[in-house]
């Protein structure tokens, strides 16, 4: 798998994009920690530019502990800044997450038709919504969200995003891990956009750096 | 004697920005480090009057770096500048002795304000 990151962005642009990712992921951690009383440990994010057709393989390689299980929340967003965002819960952590919500509020669980799916949707929705919104805000764009969906990890394929961007082109992935400190839990977030968003990102990077003048 | 400022952040863009703003102040000498461990080393080497410290960094995170810096100088003025805006993070770094916590992206007025408040606390008010 070839990483074309250095072809698309220069060193300062990559660094600035990392900083923008940090800010977006930091806001997402705050929002989640306010909904469920946990402390989220942020990891250093990473960015790759790879062929869009290789994304399923890339995601699988980055979430190696998922074997047969695992749940993914998938949500696409449209606009000039468009793409898809995935939050991946490794299989071993699924039940810990459910228990976490049960511990918080029994009535919350009782209200839900399908607690398993709805807990994942709730957490995924918070992380995806905040990350994408903050990135869009930093870029100066607005996005329209499609409804989120719960999918099984073995259903990751190009069909998830082929309607949003051309799978024969390059795609930009911004990813990180959220660790829930006291609970030995973690999940992965992949924010994936087509390379058509690169001009918007480059403009946002210039604007971000202008504040320092 | 020049006032010494240490910038510890793995983001070059962030260091570049703070350097640009703070270097406009009279009589300052600015040092930089790209991770927590290097930050602690620079801290021991230069004994800065004020340190701006990121939290999410490779090699050694900012929490550990802050603890180490405060061991070296219990009166160290360390301003935490972070994208991690959780309440528990703020509480934790305040318990570790952070002088102030500012959120990213940095705002020039807040950085300059932190600089002057830090100097005042250091007894080097201008």
């Amino acid at each position: 798998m070839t990483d074309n990151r250095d072809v698309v962005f220069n060193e300062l642009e990559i660094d600035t994009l990392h900083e923008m990712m940090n800010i977006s992921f930091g806001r997402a951690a705050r929002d989640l920690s306010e909904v469920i009383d946990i402390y989220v440990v942020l990891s250093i994010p990473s960015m790759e530019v790879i062929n869009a057709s290789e994304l399923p393989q890339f995601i699988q390689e980055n979430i190696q502990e998922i074997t047969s299980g695992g749940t993914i929340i998938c949500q696409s967003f449209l606009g000039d800044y468009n793409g898809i965002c995935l939050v991946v819960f490794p299989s071993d952590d699924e039940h810990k997450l459910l228990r976490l919500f049960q511990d918080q509020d029994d009535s919350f669980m009782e209200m839900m038709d399908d607690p398993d799916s709805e807990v994942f949707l709730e957490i995924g929705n918070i992380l995806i919504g905040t990350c994408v919104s903050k990135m869009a805000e930093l870029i100066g764009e607005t996005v329209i969200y499609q409804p989120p969906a719960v999918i099984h990890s073995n259903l990751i394929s190009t069909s998830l995003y082929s309607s949003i961007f051309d799978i024969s082109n390059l795609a930009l992935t911004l990813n990180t891990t959220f660790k829930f400190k006291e609970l030995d839990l973690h999940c992965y977030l992949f924010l994936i956009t087509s390379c058509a968003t690169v001009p918007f990102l480059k403009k946002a990077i210039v604007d971000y750096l202008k504040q320092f003048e | 004697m020049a006032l010494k400022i240490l910038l510890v952040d793995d983001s070059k863009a962030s260091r570049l920005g703070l350097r640009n703003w703070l270097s406009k102040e009279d009589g300052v000498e600015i040092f930089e480090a790209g991770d927590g461990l290097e930050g602690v080393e620079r801290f021991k080497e230069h004994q800065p009057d004020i340190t701006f410290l990121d939290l999410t960094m490779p090699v050694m995170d900012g929490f550990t770096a802050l603890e180490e810096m405060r061991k070296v100088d219990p009166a160290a003025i360390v301003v935490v500048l972070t994208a991690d805006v959780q309440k528990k993070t703020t509480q934790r770094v305040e318990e570790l002795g952070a002088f102030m916590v500012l959120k990213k992206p940095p705002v020039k007025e807040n950085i300059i304000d932190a600089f002057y408040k830090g100097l005042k606390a250091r007894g080097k008010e201008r």
Side-chain angles (χ1 to χ4, degrees):
Chain A
M1 201 173 300
T2 311
D3 182 8
N4 299 281
R5 192 174 60 163
D6 296 340
V7 177
V8 179
F9 296 105
N10 65 35
E11 190 187 354
L12 185 61
E13 287 173 334
I14 292 170
D15 183 88
T16 307
L17 203 46
H18 270 137
E19 195 64 354
M20 291 164 68
M21 289 156 63
N22 264 327
I23 292 166
S24 302
F25 297 152
R27 297 299 190 277
R30 179 198 60 190
D31 284 6
L32 186 61
S33 72
E34 285 177 0
V35 174
I36 43 178
D37 185 24
I38 51 169
Y39 182 47
V40 183
V41 179
L42 293 171
S43 303
I44 295 167
S46 62
M47 178 185 81
E48 277 84 22
V49 178
I50 58 175
N51 291 321
S53 60
E54 295 177 325
L55 279 169
Q57 184 194 345
F58 171 81
I59 292 166
Q60 290 289 358
E61 285 175 2
N62 279 272
I63 48 174
Q64 287 170 356
E65 71 259 56
I66 286 189
T67 50
S68 58
T71 300
I72 297 175
I73 305 303
C74 170
Q75 188 166 21
S76 52
F77 51 96
L78 307 174
D80 286 332
Y81 181 61
N82 59 45
I84 187 167
C85 196
L86 307 173
V87 173
V88 182
F89 299 97
S91 56
D92 289 347
D93 286 351
E94 288 178 351
H95 298 295
K96 292 180 191 170
L97 273 173
L98 291 173
R99 277 203 303 274
L100 176 64
F101 267 74
Q102 282 166 330
D103 291 345
Q104 296 278 318
D105 187 354
D106 286 342
S107 61
F108 179 81
M109 298 297 286
E110 286 163 10
M111 282 187 327
M112 294 189 289
D113 296 330
D114 178 1
D116 291 27
S117 294
E118 295 199 31
V119 164
F120 293 124
L121 271 174
E122 182 73 12
I123 295 175
N125 222 353
I126 293 165
L127 292 176
I128 292 171
T130 314
C131 282
V132 174
S133 298
K134 192 65 195 177
M135 278 303 285
E137 181 193 319
L138 289 168
I139 292 165
E141 295 292 330
T142 52
V143 296
I144 298 164
Y145 293 99
Q146 302 291 90
V150 180
I151 58 170
H152 196 269
S153 64
N154 59 14
L155 293 178
I156 298 175
S157 72
T158 54
S159 63
L160 283 176
Y161 50 87
S162 58
S163 63
I164 305 168
F165 50 82
D166 186 349
I167 60 167
S168 64
N169 284 341
L170 294 174
L172 174 68
T173 77
L174 313 175
N175 34 293
T176 196
T177 306
F178 294 99
K179 294 174 187 160
F180 308 142
K181 193 176 180 190
E182 297 95 345
L183 301 159
D184 190 28
L185 286 174
H186 66 286
C187 67
Y188 303 91
L189 184 142
F190 297 86
L191 176 55
I192 302 163
T193 58
S194 77
C195 272
T197 61
V198 167
F200 296 99
L201 290 170
K202 283 185 176 267
K203 182 183 176 302
I205 290 166
V206 169
D207 290 343
Y208 185 88
L209 292 172
K210 265 187 190 165
Q211 69 179 319
F212 294 125
E213 288 174 356
Chain B
M1 190 187 290
L3 292 165
K4 294 178 186 174
I5 302 171
L6 175 61
L7 309 176
V8 187
D9 198 317
D10 59 329
S11 166
K12 283 180 193 165
S14 194
R15 297 202 309 269
L16 194 72
L18 262 63
R19 174 179 277 277
N20 199 30
W21 288 339
L22 291 164
S23 62
K24 290 173 181 149
E25 299 297 319
D26 288 336
V28 296
E29 193 174 2
I30 300 174
F31 306 95
E32 296 185 21
D35 62 63
L37 184 62
E38 190 190 352
V40 174
E41 287 168 1
R42 294 288 89 78
F43 185 89
K44 289 175 181 168
E45 182 183 352
H46 300 293
Q47 298 172 13
D49 294 295
I50 184 163
T51 300
F52 289 87
L53 176 69
D54 184 24
L55 292 179
T56 310
M57 290 185 290
V59 188
M60 178 190 282
D61 64 31
F63 298 102
T64 311
L66 174 58
E67 272 186 297
E68 293 299 316
M69 288 171 184
R70 297 276 297 178
K71 278 182 200 166
V72 174
D73 177 5
I77 303 293
V78 181
V79 176
V80 169
L81 180 61
T82 180
D84 184 349
V85 288
Q86 297 173 86
K87 283 180 189 163
K88 287 185 180 176
T89 298
T90 303
Q91 287 167 3
R92 191 175 162 199
V93 293
E94 283 175 349
E95 283 165 13
L96 291 172
F99 177 70
M100 195 183 279
V101 185
L102 300 177
K103 71 176 181 182
K104 287 186 175 180
V107 175
K108 183 179 180 182
E109 289 71 26
N110 295 344
I111 296 293
I112 300 300
D113 180 58
F115 169 71
Y116 279 104
K117 284 181 176 159
L119 289 186
K120 186 177 179 184
R122 191 79 175 168
K124 295 192 174 181
E125 197 174 5
R126 293 176 156 191

